[in-house]
Amino acid sequence: MATLWSKISAVLPHNEERFALQFSDKVESSVVEMLKRSRQQLYGDATSTSRMLNAQIILDFSWEKLNTGTWRHVDKEWRRVYSYGCLFKVAALCREDPSPDEVLQAVRTCDMGLLMGAAIMDDILQVIIQILQSEVRERTKDSDDSERADFKRIKIECPHIPVIKEELAVPRIKCPSLESFNANYLLPLKPVILEGIIDHWPALNEHPWSIEYLRSVAGCRTVPVEVGSRYTDEEWSQTLLTVNEFIDQYILNKDGVKCLGYLAQHQLFDQIPELKEDIRLPDYCCLGEGDEDDITVNAWFGPGGTVSPLHQDPQQNFLAQVVGSKYIRLYSPEDSDKLYPHQSQLLHNTSQVEVENPDTEQFPEFAKAPYLECVLQPGEVLFIPVRHWHYVRSLELSFSVSFWWS
């Protein structure tokens, strides 16, 4: 059987001459020299300690550049430098006979490059991480299935489902034609629940999404996690965890401590292609003005009780429910003055009102704002028109996918 390093080296350029390192003058010559030294070590006989040291120097220097100022002002050249540093570190970790911990460290290093860096060498970090994941699965395939019982116990918990009054219910329609959806909902910007349009998704059929499935395809992957019940809370924060760590700490809650975390990820499907293959773009997105590449696909995975405060987005939104159920309330942008948006620029698209427990003295006009509401169940898709205010609460363990399009 081929060693791990032989599999990785097979996807690298065959020799140093074919390993291009080209940067603009925005990257200091001393950093380029360090990159060239790591490249030389990659094809030479340097010690693993020396390889690791050089790679870490590149990572530390570029990390400082990535964290200077706002993200949009970070030059792509420095993101590429960071990705090369990740590549060289992975090579240092896997060159000899790596331990299980070193393989997991290499996976995390690739993920950091995918999250914080920029694509290099035909997205080689994505190629290498698939090799590493296969190695992890091979080494852990005989592990016990103790989490299976935990997941089944969670699934049988019965959530308290709010009663939706008929006059407040979001309308429902089954598989409308493109013309019908465009004329009756898209152009007049009316919310609607679309039934039957994602029944063909592998996520609901061949590969039904569950805790066990997520562990199997992404358990060792590092992802951003939001910690806290809602992003407007003072204690809300963001951190990086593996999917397994997130499940153990925030989903299974084996220690009995009540804590809420949310995997809300714009890059998850690019980061983990197996999950991307389990979903499909809704056909109705073709009615938009942009190309398919302009559609933003988001993952939302978390326990019951997580809340997205009342807010609005600048694009059309299809919210597809895959696992669990969510209570959702919708307000028209015409009633924005009754919803008391935050005054700060950062949260101007978010209401100050706690929707299900409003302070009527502080926000007296809120009760006068008309709304629609629904409980979104697996297999259903909610169309949230652009700028429509929406409040979302997970009633149980939930996995949703949203598509933002213009």
Side-chain angles (χ1 to χ4, degrees):
M1 181 182 294
T3 64
L4 178 59
W5 176 245
S6 67
K7 295 174 186 176
I8 292 174
S9 61
V11 302
L12 294 170
H14 294 315
N15 53 49
E16 190 176 342
E17 289 70 30
R18 295 186 179 183
F19 193 120
L21 283 173
Q22 296 178 330
F23 295 92
S24 71
D25 55 9
K26 292 179 181 178
V27 178
E28 288 95 321
S29 58
S30 60
V31 176
V32 176
E33 287 304 311
M34 186 64 69
L35 287 162
K36 289 179 178 178
R37 187 182 305 170
S38 286
R39 178 181 63 181
Q40 185 179 34
Q41 291 177 335
L42 185 65
Y43 295 96
D45 297 323
T47 65
S48 59
T49 302
S50 178
R51 291 192 185 97
M52 181 64 77
L53 179 61
N54 275 354
Q56 198 59 53
I57 290 172
I58 294 167
L59 287 172
D60 290 345
F61 196 90
S62 55
W63 182 258
E64 188 174 322
K65 294 287 186 179
L66 297 187
N67 288 278
T68 302
T70 57
W71 180 250
R72 67 177 177 272
H73 292 140
V74 175
D75 194 277
K76 188 177 180 180
E77 290 286 84
W78 283 110
R79 294 171 58 200
R80 290 178 62 235
V81 170
Y82 184 77
S83 291
Y84 276 108
C86 290
L87 174 60
F88 291 133
K89 182 174 179 177
V90 168
L93 285 165
C94 299
R95 187 62 174 262
E96 309 299 335
D97 183 23
S99 67
D101 284 346
E102 287 173 325
V103 175
L104 290 175
Q105 191 179 347
V107 171
R108 178 180 172 83
T109 301
C110 279
D111 274 324
M112 291 302 295
L114 293 171
L115 289 168
M116 303 298 293
I120 56 171
M121 300 167 64
D122 295 325
D123 216 1
I124 193 168
L125 292 179
Q126 187 65 265
V127 175
I128 290 175
I129 207 167
Q130 298 305 314
I131 296 171
L132 293 170
Q133 270 197 281
S134 296
E135 180 76 11
V136 172
R137 289 173 188 147
E138 185 67 26
R139 295 186 181 197
T140 60
K141 65 181 179 181
D142 296 325
S143 62
D144 67 75
D145 298 321
S146 60
E147 73 273 4
R148 187 181 301 269
D150 293 312
F151 177 63
K152 288 180 178 176
R153 185 168 64 250
I154 286 176
K155 284 200 71 174
I156 63 174
E157 292 177 358
C158 296
H160 173 69
I161 297 181
V163 176
I164 307 298
K165 295 179 181 179
E166 187 175 346
E167 64 271 19
L168 299 178
V170 177
R172 294 169 173 269
I173 187 169
K174 189 175 180 66
C175 298
S177 66
L178 291 174
E179 294 79 4
S180 173
F181 174 77
N182 189 52
N184 297 315
Y185 301 103
L186 180 58
L187 292 178
L189 297 177
K190 291 184 177 180
V192 66
I193 293 174
L194 303 172
E195 300 177 340
I197 71 167
I198 63 170
D199 291 351
H200 60 293
W201 280 15
L204 292 163
N205 295 285
E206 303 98 287
H207 303 140
W209 284 0
S210 66
I211 285 179
E212 296 135 296
Y213 181 67
L214 199 57
R215 283 194 192 277
S216 69
V217 300
C220 62
R221 304 297 297 276
T222 296
V223 292
V225 170
E226 298 179 359
V227 180
S229 61
R230 63 192 77 201
Y231 63 77
T232 50
D233 290 349
E234 285 187 13
E235 67 272 16
W236 182 89
S237 63
Q238 290 179 302
T239 188
L240 291 171
L241 295 173
T242 67
V243 170
N244 278 334
E245 290 169 339
F246 170 69
I247 290 171
D248 289 337
Q249 293 179 36
Y250 298 105
I251 302 297
L252 296 183
N253 257 336
K254 293 178 179 179
D255 57 5
V257 177
K258 182 63 175 176
C259 51
L260 291 173
Y262 213 44
L263 196 168
Q265 241 270 49
H266 304 314
Q267 292 176 281
L268 187 70
F269 297 109
D270 291 329
Q271 202 181 340
I272 304 168
E274 294 95 331
L275 290 177
K276 189 174 186 178
E277 292 168 5
D278 287 341
I279 64 173
R280 303 287 184 267
L281 289 177
D283 292 340
Y284 306 95
C285 289
C286 73
L287 298 170
E289 298 174 351
D291 297 326
E292 186 174 308
D293 292 341
D294 298 323
I295 299 170
T296 302
V297 186
N298 310 290
W300 312 95
F301 177 52
T306 49
V307 167
S308 290
L310 186 62
H311 68 284
Q312 59 178 185
D313 297 314
Q315 290 182 291
Q316 315 282 12
N317 183 3
F318 284 125
L319 180 63
Q321 194 64 18
V322 182
V323 175
S325 56
K326 285 182 169 176
Y327 170 72
I328 302 169
R329 193 183 290 189
L330 297 148
Y331 292 83
S332 168
E334 295 177 0
D335 295 303
S336 294
D337 58 331
K338 299 183 180 73
L339 305 182
Y340 301 91
H342 282 272
Q343 297 304 304
S344 70
Q345 184 62 30
L346 185 63
L347 290 174
H348 71 279
N349 70 328
T350 302
S351 169
Q352 301 176 63
V353 183
E354 200 169 319
V355 168
E356 295 187 87
N357 185 31
D359 184 332
T360 53
E361 291 187 8
Q362 187 177 2
F363 309 113
E365 295 297 307
F366 179 71
K368 301 176 185 177
Y371 62 86
L372 295 175
E373 61 183 351
C374 68
V375 172
L376 199 64
Q377 302 282 5
E380 299 177 344
V381 179
L382 173 64
F383 169 58
I384 304 174
V386 59
R387 298 290 180 189
H388 265 64
W389 294 84
H390 49 288
Y391 164 87
V392 185
R393 174 168 59 90
S394 297
L395 300 176
E396 56 188 321
L397 175 71
S398 171
F399 206 145
S400 313
V401 181
S402 62
F403 302 86
W404 290 345
W405 54 291
S406 298

